[in-house]
Amino acid sequence: MAKKLDERKEDFYKALKRLEEALKKDISDDIIIDGIIQRFEFTFEQAWKVMKLYLEDQGILDEALAPRSTIRCAFKHKLINNGDVWIEMMLDRNRTSHMYDEETAVNIVNLVKEKYIIEFNKLKDFLED
């Protein structure tokens, strides 16, 4: 399990790095917005899956859980400290994969820049300690 967890951590760190690179770009271009959204979706997927594996590794979880229940469990066990933002992030991630509206996309990109990237980095810091 430890090897699988280490691999998942590395996948999350790489996804986060790529998202951070994209956030440095000018968001006046639709292609950049699309790229940020895609990298956000991928980073979120890696994040909740690494939380799930971490909790399993700690003996806290022993069953396959969906993102929402994994986030709740991660919050309960202090892996993350802002469960509401993570739930909001999950809902925005779901929103981006089921429809495309330019205004919604720009709003989500702004949330990624202002809030979500902070939470991803807090998770990374936790996992590295």
Side-chain angles (χ1 to χ4, degrees), residues 8-11 20-23 27-29 32 40 42 53 63 67 80 87 94 99 105 107 109 120-121 128:
R8 182 64 74 182
K9 284 181 187 178
E10 286 305 312
D11 291 343
E20 289 174 328
E21 289 169 357
L23 290 173
I27 65 166
S28 63
D29 186 340
I32 299 299
F40 162 65
F42 189 68
L53 271 177
E63 59 188 64
I80 57 174
I87 295 295
N94 292 344
M99 64 150 199
N107 288 338
V109 166
F120 285 142
N121 276 298
E128 288 179 333

Side-chain angles (χ1 to χ4, degrees), residues 22-45:
L23 290 173
K24 293 176 184 173
K25 306 289 183 186
D26 178 13
I27 65 166
S28 63
D29 186 340
D30 289 348
I31 293 172
I32 299 299
I33 291 171
D34 293 349
I36 291 170
I37 293 291
Q38 187 174 20
R39 288 181 182 193
F40 162 65
E41 291 172 349
F42 189 68
T43 304
F44 178 81
E45 289 300 308

